[in-house]
Amino acid sequence: MAGPPPDGQPAPDDGHLPESALNRLGERGFGIYVHVPFCAARCGYCDFNTYTPSENAGSAETWLAAALAEIDLAGTVLAPAPGGLPRVDTIFVGGGTPSLLPVDYLARVVERVGDVFGLTSGAEITTEANPESVDAGVFSSLRSAGFTRVSLGMQSARSHVLAVLDRRHTPGRAVQAAQEARAAGFAHVNLDLIYGTPGETDEDWAASLAAVVAAGVDHVSAYSLIVEDGTRLARQIGRGVLPMPDDDVLADRYLMADEALTGAGLHWYEVSNWAADEAARCRHNELYWRSGDWWGVGPGAHSHVGGVRWWNVRHPARYADRLAAKTSPAQAREVLEPDDRRVEDVLLRLRLAEGLPLSALDATGRTAAVRATNDGLLDGGAHRQGRAVLTLRGRLLADAVVRALLT
């Protein structure tokens, strides 16, 4: 179960945003995130805001009505912006398991976003999917509904690793699903991997990397396993049933991933993401990393517009009740001070292959950047050109580099 949200400040019942937040709306792009809270079962490592059938999360029909109402609310709240409503560059449907819903429900969400905001030419429209809840027909329907990209949760190619993670699909199903998506006309297909699962060996990880390369996808995300408080995995580790992931092993697995994926023609553009070319990058996630604006639709979804961040109530029933009462579903919000925004900008943009300009750092940070360059954590050539760009070793220590630049 997801942990407690931040406390924040009270959010107005009508969702009103301060004028300062709207003044530059969409200058760094504008996206819509849609959270689907339903899962067939809970994975042992997951702390997302999701609900299984036994947890009384309400019906998919109720969720859909509420999501459509929130999109309408977003249009009302953002309409006073000086430039009017921005067109939407990206839509990302995540969860949870969006592919548990009828495709028609997802299509209606996309249609409503288009009706309220309009979509930019070539807008990226992504849905996540679990391999076991899709087939060739579903992919064909998603393409017909306007989706341009699909992201599949593969995690591993080894059955015993999937079992530790409580994943239900068979080892080869994710690759098969990726091939079905390509056959249905999806040019952009992502496979998600997790490394460092207790019991996973170097050979297991190498097999997973070989499988995604053989699948021929144009995007791969590879994340180290994080043990989140309150999850089944955390309880198993706490009881000594499973060992805690080892940092040195995680670093070795990352190096294996970078070597295998780079060798297959996929290039890192964010610390945990590799793409075949610029067109294959996840533009929605780039919006987050570049501190753009987005509205999060759904229970527990987070939003950010012009330095104001807010988050919705988490339980689907409370979320739906608020929207049925024509009240904003926001639970609370925070208004970021200029220094907070600068810190976040450094934190996020340093993870990108293009890095960030040294001018984004204060004098102390620029001095720290010199030290990091001398230590081989930042690229020397990029530093001479006025940018802070992580080296491969720097990617392994990205959090420590960020702390050094901001201290």
Side-chain angles (χ1 to χ4, degrees), residues 345-396:
D345 207 37
V346 172
L347 174 69
L348 295 170
R349 289 171 66 193
L350 189 66
R351 295 182 62 86
L352 297 170
E354 67 213 41
L356 74 155
L358 294 174
S359 59
L361 304 172
D362 59 19
T364 302
R366 291 192 292 273
T367 300
V370 172
R371 290 197 300 270
T373 301
N374 292 337
D375 291 340
L377 302 174
L378 293 178
D379 181 81
H383 187 271
R384 288 189 290 274
Q385 295 173 11
R387 300 193 69 79
V389 174
L390 292 170
T391 61
L392 177 56
R393 180 166 173 263
R395 281 185 266 161
L396 294 173

Side-chain angles (χ1 to χ4, degrees), residues 154-310:
M154 175 176 169
Q155 319 315 354
S156 176
R158 296 295 204 195
S159 58
H160 70 94
V161 176
L162 293 173
V164 172
L165 296 172
D166 293 318
R167 298 291 292 182
R168 291 187 164 190
H169 63 83
T170 56
R173 176 56 200 152
V175 168
Q176 182 182 18
Q179 293 167 340
E180 291 169 353
R182 295 294 293 271
F186 279 96
H188 304 306
V189 180
N190 171 65
L191 285 172
D192 272 349
L193 291 175
I194 290 178
Y195 57 89
T197 300
E200 178 190 67
T201 65
D202 285 349
E203 292 74 20
D204 293 330
W205 181 232
S208 296
L209 293 168
V212 297
V213 168
V217 296
D218 67 343
H219 192 287
V220 174
S221 300
Y223 302 103
S224 65
L225 180 66
I226 298 175
V227 181
E228 302 285 2
D229 290 342
T231 61
R232 179 172 180 269
L233 178 65
R235 292 191 293 272
Q236 289 175 307
I237 290 174
R239 294 196 306 268
V241 176
L242 295 172
M244 177 69 79
D246 181 88
D247 287 344
D248 290 335
V249 170
L250 294 177
D252 289 342
R253 298 276 161 80
Y254 183 87
L255 294 174
M256 290 173 64
D258 190 67
E259 181 178 10
L261 297 174
T262 301
L266 301 173
H267 309 287
W268 82 282
Y269 70 101
E270 191 275 339
V271 169
S272 299
N273 291 271
W274 290 258
D277 52 35
E278 188 170 348
R281 297 179 177 184
C282 180
R283 286 157 45 199
H284 186 82
N285 284 342
E286 287 186 309
L287 188 74
Y288 297 154
W289 297 321
R290 292 181 175 135
S291 301
D293 295 323
W294 73 90
W295 189 293
V297 172
H302 286 231
S303 304
H304 170 265
V305 172
V308 178
R309 182 186 292 115
W310 68 95

